[in-house]
Amino acid sequence: MSRTQYLFISLFSLSLVVFAVLLQQFGYQDTPFLPCPLCILQRIGCLGIAISCFLAAGIPALKKLFHLLAAMSACFGVIIAGKQVWLLSYPEASCGIDPLEVWINQFQLVQGLPWLFKADGLCSAKLPAILGLQVPEWSLFWFCVLLILFAVTFFKHTKTE
């Protein structure tokens, strides 16, 4: 992939996180979207993709390494978003109290940036759909698209800009 493509993917991943924070701050259809622990982990996956792609664009000598890290972040996101989509389909599997929330909220980063990393919601909460899909379904879709893109382009040889 070219530097421009890496930068585009980086900005796209950051925009997904910005959209999630806007939903958290302002809600949608008069419903607050409080992030659950799985939502926070998906944000970390998106940030992992964004940072890896930014570094791949900036350090051509290590482009393959950062490409692989971006693919691993996308794979992480697929697993986490897939679990949340499964919980939305089977809400009875959730006990309502997620011990992962306590674990995530104890980190110093959460204390410093609670608006970005603090988990307050339930993973099985059904919220209003956006363009026909729940937020975790959209997240799963974009993680899958990015993972496929990273997998397909990993072995392609391109000239650096």
Side-chain angles (χ1 to χ4, degrees):
M1 284 199 299
S2 69
R3 287 180 52 162
T4 306
Q5 291 168 323
Y6 279 120
L7 289 174
F8 176 78
I9 293 170
S10 183
L11 288 174
F12 177 74
S13 295
L14 284 175
S15 71
L16 292 175
V17 175
V18 168
F19 183 70
V21 170
L22 289 174
L23 279 177
Q24 172 186 341
Q25 297 299 318
F26 301 109
Y28 176 70
Q29 295 181 349
D30 298 325
T31 304
F33 278 63
L34 297 176
C36 71
L38 296 178
C39 296
I40 298 302
L41 292 175
Q42 290 169 58
R43 289 181 188 185
I44 291 169
C46 281
L47 290 172
I49 292 169
I51 292 167
S52 297
C53 286
F54 183 75
L55 291 172
I59 307 171
L62 298 174
K63 182 170 83 167
K64 286 290 187 187
L65 172 67
F66 292 124
H67 188 106
L68 183 62
L69 289 174
M72 290 171 60
S73 294
C75 186
F76 173 78
V78 166
I79 292 167
I80 299 299
K83 172 145 173 93
Q84 190 169 7
V85 168
W86 182 83
L87 278 173
L88 288 175
S89 300
Y90 301 100
E92 65 277 357
S94 177
C95 64
I97 301 169
D98 196 334
L100 192 58
E101 181 176 330
V102 176
W103 182 74
I104 287 175
N105 287 339
Q106 75 178 348
F107 287 108
Q108 190 64 35
L109 187 61
V110 175
Q111 307 305 318
L113 298 169
W115 55 271
L116 182 59
F117 293 115
K118 185 166 188 209
D120 288 330
L122 294 173
C123 294
S124 60
K126 279 246 184 193
L127 297 169
I130 299 172
L131 299 175
L133 294 175
Q134 296 282 317
V135 172
E137 294 168 330
W138 278 113
S139 186
L140 179 61
F141 172 77
W142 288 115
F143 278 124
C144 286
V145 167
L146 291 172
L147 181 58
I148 291 167
L149 177 68
F150 291 135
V152 167
T153 59
F154 185 74
F155 294 106
K156 284 192 176 183
H157 180 69
T158 58
K159 296 177 188 172
T160 58
E161 291 178 9

